[in-house]
Amino acid sequence: DTGVSQDPRHKITKRGQNVTFRCDPISEHNRLYWYRQTLGQGPEFLTYFQNEAQLEKSRLLSDRFSAERPKGSFSTLEIQRTEQGDSAMYLCASRSLDDARGNEQFFGPGTRLTVL
Amino acid sequence: GNSVTQMEGPVTLSEEAFLTINCTYTATGYPSLFWYVQYPGEGLQLLLKATKADDKGSNKGFEATYRKETTSFHLEKGSVQVSDSAVYFCARSANAGGTSYGKLTFGQGTILTVHP
C-alpha cells in the first residue's frame, strides 16, 4: 500500500486554459474526496465519491469544475476556463467504508495549481 | 452549518515548552473530531482522533479530549521538540448518522515553530 497519490504535483497554466488532475486512492478504499486549500486556510470540501457515484458536491464546485471516478478506482478533477482565483492546492483523500476506523481519511500530497 | 475555529497563530515555542492549540466546533450533532498535521513539504497526516464525548485521542506525545460541554478539542503536548514544527489543523466530520458521507470541515490551521 503506497498511500494516496496525485498527479501532477505542480501545474502552472494560463488563465482560460483547461487543466485536469488525477488522484489514485489507497486500493480498496471506496470513498474518495476532493478538497481545495488556499494559502493560510484549511482544506475546504469540494466533492465526494462512493465507488463510481458522485454523491455530494459543494457549492464551491462551480460548473467549470467536473470530477469523475469512472471505474470506482482513480478519480480526475477537471477545471475548465481557469481563473486566477482557482490557484490553490487541490487535495485528494480516500477512506475505507469500515466505520470502525472512525472516519479517518488518508490524504495525498496534493496538486498545486498556479493560474497566471 | 458545521464549523471549526482554531486559535490564531503562528505559535513560537522553545524546545521542551508546553503546547496548547485551542479548537472549538459547532455543536450540531455528534461529530468525530480530528487533529491533522502538515510537516513542511508533506501532505496532511492524521495525528489523533476522538469519536465520542470524553474520548481522549493521543499520539506522539500529543493529546486532545473531546469535550461536549465546551464544544472543544484542544491539542496539548507537555514538551515540544524542534521536529514538531508544522501546521496543525483541527477538523470535524459530519454528524454521525447523517448523509454527509464523512466529509471533513477544517479549521484554518495553526503554524507551530519550535526553536532549539
Side-chain angles (χ1 to χ4, degrees):
Chain A
D1 186 352
T2 57
V4 179
S5 60
Q6 293 187 244
D7 183 70
R9 296 289 303 274
H10 304 273
K11 178 70 177 178
I12 300 174
T13 190
K14 292 183 179 179
R15 187 163 50 100
Q17 298 296 304
N18 299 344
V19 295
T20 300
F21 310 140
R22 176 179 170 124
C23 170
D24 286 88
I26 294 172
S27 59
E28 301 180 357
H29 276 191
N30 50 9
R31 295 188 173 184
L32 186 148
Y33 305 79
W34 285 98
Y35 294 84
R36 182 173 68 186
Q37 184 179 17
T38 53
L39 198 62
Q41 299 297 317
E44 296 175 293
F45 170 78
L46 291 179
T47 189
Y48 156 78
F49 289 86
Q50 182 161 309
N51 300 312
E52 65 276 9
Q54 188 175 18
L55 297 183
E56 187 172 356
K57 293 194 293 185
S58 163
R59 64 182 184 280
L60 293 176
L61 214 65
S62 76
D63 54 8
R64 296 185 297 105
F65 288 69
S66 61
E68 295 183 342
R69 195 183 183 196
K71 299 181 180 178
S73 57
F74 73 91
S75 175
T76 58
L77 177 68
E78 181 184 15
I79 308 174
Q80 296 182 326
R81 306 181 303 282
T82 52
E83 301 173 356
Q84 287 184 328
D86 297 332
S87 296
M89 178 76 85
Y90 290 84
L91 299 170
C92 177
S94 70
R95 181 196 148 188
S96 167
L97 194 57
D98 178 4
D99 284 336
R101 294 184 60 84
N103 299 329
E104 179 176 352
Q105 294 183 20
F106 295 83
F107 282 81
T111 295
R112 181 169 295 284
L113 173 66
T114 301
V115 182
L116 302 177
Chain B
N2 297 336
S3 69
V4 175
T5 302
Q6 282 182 239
M7 68 180 284
E8 294 187 10
V11 175
T12 303
L13 295 173
S14 297
E15 207 164 25
E16 300 183 3
F18 183 85
L19 168 71
T20 300
I21 302 178
N22 290 340
C23 171
T24 57
Y25 63 95
T26 50
T28 51
Y30 303 94
S32 294
L33 301 174
F34 307 85
W35 278 98
Y36 278 83
V37 59
Q38 191 168 34
Y39 297 104
E42 298 185 17
L44 280 168
Q45 302 174 24
L46 179 67
L47 179 61
L48 53 83
K49 65 186 179 189
T51 58
K52 61 183 188 297
D54 300 325
D55 269 3
K56 177 186 283 188
S58 60
N59 186 28
K60 299 181 181 180
F62 291 88
E63 293 183 340
T65 301
Y66 190 142
R67 301 284 189 200
K68 192 170 187 298
E69 64 277 11
T70 54
T71 64
S72 65
F73 192 56
H74 304 323
L75 182 68
E76 296 182 337
K77 186 173 186 181
S79 177
V80 293
Q81 305 301 310
V82 172
S83 58
D84 293 327
S85 298
V87 184
Y88 291 82
F89 293 93
C90 184
R92 61 163 285 166
S93 69
N95 301 330
T99 57
S100 293
Y101 309 111
K103 70 181 181 185
L104 297 176
T105 300
F106 287 85
Q108 76 272 28
T110 301
I111 300 172
L112 171 66
T113 303
V114 181
H115 293 297

